[in-house]
Amino acid sequence: MTAFHKIAFIVFCSLVAANALGQSKADTADILDKLNVSTKNKFINNIFQDAIGSIRRNPSDTINATKVLFEKSEARFQRYEGKFIRYILVEHFGFDKTFTDTSNRITYIGTKILNSLHTDTREFIIRQNLFMKEGTKVSAYELADNERYLRTLDFIQDARIFVNPVGRTDSVDIIIITKDLFTLTGFLGVSRLNSVEARVAEANLAGMAQRVQVTGVWDENRHPQTAYEVLYSKNNIGGSFINGTVLYSKINSDRSEGFEEEDAFLIQFDRPLVSPFSHFAGGATLSFNQSANVYRKPSIEFYNYQYNLYDGWLGYNLGTKRFTEFENYNSNRNRFFLAGRYFQKDFVRTPVQIEGKFDPVYNSKEAALGQLTFFKQDFYKLNYIYGFGTTEDIPTGFSISLTGGWYKQLDLERPYGGFQLEHYLVTPRGGFVNASFKLGGFLHNGKIEDASTLASVNFFTRLFNIYRWKFRQYMKWSYTQLDNRVVYEPLRLNNNYGLAEFASDSVNGNKRISIYSESVLYTNKKILGFRFAPVIFGGFSLMSFENEPFKKSDIYTAFGAGIRTRNENLIFGTIELKAIYLP
């Protein structure tokens, strides 16, 4: 075993061993025994009456209230502010229940199969992901933040936190109810009967918040004809909120920087800012990659390269020590977040086709950056924004960021400065608006180089009722500009700020305006748990070629229609079939 393989094996074993850390000493059965039985049964029977009663809607909206969410995340918890938490209970939903309609069980054969093949998330895993503790005071915003965070976990479809008063005392019991995603997935692809790719993945192995993924390929034209990739990741190692990933691949085509398949080894750790009250966040990535000429290309065509990647960042949430009491936590949601990042992508071997030239992919790069962000963020619970009815946490508030530092590409060293403004708004009737403005550039020889400007607005209308179906309109606008371009690639159309369906990358320039609109109709019909949504869309972009006046911009358009389908119980996302006309 080489040193390279030994490192991979040691790190893999370390992550697996960390699963054993931090398990709760008390399980659900022990806590239920402590509760008064009649109080517990009464609470369980009425728990969803409270949930449904908390769902808000405009009186003029005729959509069924039990199916449409429009609620401030902290609203249900505010009347319990300051009470003491006696016990925390953890319950679980199977695939035959939904949070938006608890009165009906889904009993078709698909739910039975999912329940029989699935291992529920272990209770101690849920407890590791809780912010509150027994014996502490209730904070409405902390409970709301925690409920939202549970829904961000890869293996959780939905989660609810409920508060149960204990008689006439100043104590309450907290009930955590979660519903898993079906996390066992697979893929099989066959191309021209001489190439096969297969993948098996489990995103919540043994209910322990760990992902294992194995991919294999066989290709008659490949040398060697078979290859593999293994990935292991662990969520919230030992209750630290640190996630870890290890990857070893002989087929790193999906993640490769360039056009070639790669041999790759990667270690990654990250700790997100799980709530506005968290102190630290950060991440680190270490990666070793090299291209592999598995299809025996001629040397003039094969991009022969090797690079190492080192990337780390650390951030601190300023001022949180001043908000140790729940009153301050709730009354002041303003935060300053200070972060620093060091990044180095070192090409040990550069392709001869690129040697000495500026290239966004194959150049060695190094950067040291700092950022100060002022933000205020709250959340609403909505649905039918990106999903098909499951709970979606939509932000409201703003963030302002200032970024500065040093950046090097090849032998070109320049200071960098940037500004970013983001604003999120949920309208009084359940619409959603996101507006952003970004500005950045480099200083070199007294001039601003590679200056970029981006302004965009995304708007979702409120949800309408059409013959008991649900309808929402989505629109977006963006303006992008590059000035004094030195190493940046020109603007292109084939991306989310242009026309994503425009396959050609030959259209480029330095100014672009894009408008896009999409109409989505959510039907009520389900087939084996899959819901369907017809969609029609259209968009156009103006692209100004470099060194040409904007009035000479060419207009590009795209129109189309299709259908989307999704089963909210499954871990993979929306499936879409569409037809596009590009005049």
Side-chain angles (χ1 to χ4, degrees), residues 5 9 41 49 73 115 133 135 151 186 188 204 233-234 249 269 276 312 338 343 400 434 471 481 518 525 541 554 581:
H5 288 83
F9 180 75
N41 290 338
Q49 184 176 358
S73 296
N115 282 323
K133 296 180 180 179
R151 284 192 288 268
L188 180 64
N204 192 13
S233 65
K234 177 70 179 75
S249 178
F269 295 95
L338 181 64
F343 167 89
I400 302 172
N434 166 222
F471 171 84
Q481 178 175 327
E518 181 178 278
K525 183 67 176 178
S541 291
D554 283 349
Y581 173 57

Side-chain angles (χ1 to χ4, degrees), residues 371-374 399-403 418-422 424 436-439:
Q371 185 178 78
L372 177 64
T373 300
F374 174 58
S399 68
I400 302 172
S401 300
L402 294 174
T403 305
F419 169 82
Q420 179 173 325
L421 171 65
E422 294 272 355
Y424 306 91
S436 64
F437 177 75
K438 302 175 184 179
L439 183 69

Side-chain angles (χ1 to χ4, degrees), residues 485 509-511 544-550 552:
R485 188 173 61 84
N510 68 334
K511 293 185 183 72
S544 173
F545 294 101
E546 214 154 7
N547 302 320
E548 291 285 345
F550 198 62
K552 292 187 177 181

